[in-house]
Amino acid sequence: MRIEADKQRIWQLIEAIGKNTKGKGNVYLVGGATAVLYGWRSQTIDVDLKLDPEPAGIFSVIRILKDELNINIELASPDQFIPALPDWQQRSPYITTIGQINFYHYDLYAQVLAKIERGHTQDILDVKHYLTAELVDPNKLQQLFNAIYNELERYPAINANEFQRKLDLALRDDQ
């Protein structure tokens, strides 16, 4: 069983990916890794990543690093669970560049919407942190939800009206 990833291990992962991956590309941190680096969680069960564009050679590097660092690394991002938000790359906060790899947090608005839709206890706590820290603007969050609303039919597991209700509740609780 692997250990949970704290800020130090996440930074070790970032540095090792940057130094050992031979191609150019972008790596987006998602979920718990974002929460740990922003400081409202001390650790996360796994480090979720999105690769776009995918750096050449990164999969062999990840395979080695998950064992060396003894952490879970998953390829997962909000656009696997809800429609990709328009212009998500431009809203993805920059973290650092190491070697030929640029590191970002995946669009915080997309992360919040995916967490609201999923609705797990830890997700809702994370949403409250994003809103309280003013990392996402409630009005912009609603606008971006509206932008993907008609695309939700492509995700049969999602009830669009229930998703809107959960968003309304999250925004109301923030007041």
Side-chain angles (χ1 to χ4, degrees), residues 127-128 130-133 136 138 168-175:
V127 167
K128 289 179 189 290
Y130 280 104
L131 291 167
T132 302
V136 297
D168 292 344
L169 181 61
L171 295 177
R172 185 173 62 238
D173 286 349
D174 183 52
Q175 303 304 317

Side-chain angles (χ1 to χ4, degrees), residues 106-127:
Y106 192 96
D107 177 17
L108 303 182
Y109 288 89
Q111 290 197 52
V112 167
L113 286 173
K115 286 175 176 292
I116 289 170
E117 199 291 315
R118 191 165 66 172
H120 295 151
T121 301
Q122 184 61 63
D123 292 328
I124 300 307
L125 291 172
D126 287 345
V127 167

Side-chain angles (χ1 to χ4, degrees), residues 98-111:
I98 300 176
Q100 298 181 74
I101 309 297
N102 301 308
F103 293 88
Y104 301 88
H105 292 287
Y106 192 96
D107 177 17
L108 303 182
Y109 288 89
Q111 290 197 52

Side-chain angles (χ1 to χ4, degrees), residues 17-28 49-62 75 98-103:
I17 288 173
K19 290 176 182 173
N20 295 300
T21 302
K22 302 304 178 207
K24 293 181 183 179
N26 297 325
V27 174
Y28 296 86
L49 305 174
K50 176 167 179 80
L51 312 172
D52 185 19
E54 179 184 300
I58 194 163
F59 292 109
S60 60
V61 171
I62 288 173
L75 298 179
I98 300 176
Q100 298 181 74
I101 309 297
N102 301 308
F103 293 88

Side-chain angles (χ1 to χ4, degrees), residues 143-169:
Q143 290 171 357
L144 289 166
F145 175 81
N146 293 345
I148 64 167
Y149 185 85
N150 290 332
E151 295 177 54
L152 291 172
E153 67 184 12
R154 297 181 67 198
Y155 294 75
I158 297 176
N159 177 314
N161 293 329
E162 178 64 13
F163 192 176
Q164 177 66 67
R165 187 193 68 73
K166 290 189 234 179
L167 175 58
D168 292 344
L169 181 61

